[in-house]
Amino acid sequence: MGWFSRRSRVTDATPTKLDREATREDLAALEAFVASRRGVEFYLEPETTATDTTVVAIAHDGEWIRRRTGSPRAAGTIARRHAVPLYEAARTGYPERMRAWNRAHPERRAR
């Protein structure tokens, strides 16, 4: 059946990326979001096999955007430049105001 076959797997192949890399437009969108809203916080999401490192920027009212940053260092640079707190989403979770905003704007989640 081949369930437990001992064939060697190719180890020198690079893992497949299912998504695109971060672009200047992604970073510009984060900066524009910070500049146009108050009380913004960044939540860093680690790179996965499907997506590059991302940041969720959440405003004081819960409105949010998610954009690729390419690396945690790039996210930190933008956060320092704009004096925005940067949290690790895996450790802190997302704030309740983001969930409340999602409930109030169901059309946004349908994308």
Side-chain angles (χ1 to χ4, degrees):
M1 283 196 203
W3 286 350
F4 302 104
S5 67
R6 293 186 179 239
R7 285 188 307 164
S8 63
R9 293 196 166 102
V10 178
T11 57
D12 60 343
T14 58
T16 302
K17 288 287 245 180
L18 300 178
D19 206 12
R20 64 176 177 80
E21 298 287 323
T23 64
R24 288 185 186 150
E25 290 79 21
D26 291 325
L27 302 178
L30 285 171
E31 293 195 14
F33 189 85
V34 170
S36 63
R37 287 154 182 88
R38 63 183 177 88
V40 176
E41 297 174 332
F42 282 177
Y43 290 82
L44 182 69
E45 300 173 326
E47 179 179 355
T48 66
T49 56
T51 307
D52 206 358
T53 301
T54 55
V55 164
V56 177
I58 305 173
H60 78 284
D61 62 352
E63 182 182 4
W64 61 274
I65 65 167
R66 175 180 285 120
R67 294 293 184 270
R68 293 162 188 83
T69 60
S71 71
R73 180 176 286 172
T77 299
I78 295 172
R80 279 189 301 281
R81 184 180 309 139
H82 294 282
V84 172
L86 176 64
Y87 305 105
E88 289 184 50
R91 289 186 180 195
T92 63
Y94 300 101
E96 176 57 34
R97 68 182 186 271
M98 178 183 174
R99 290 185 283 280
W101 194 88
N102 283 341
R103 286 190 297 272
H105 298 87
E107 72 283 356
R108 171 93 183 263
R109 291 188 315 166
R111 291 193 279 171

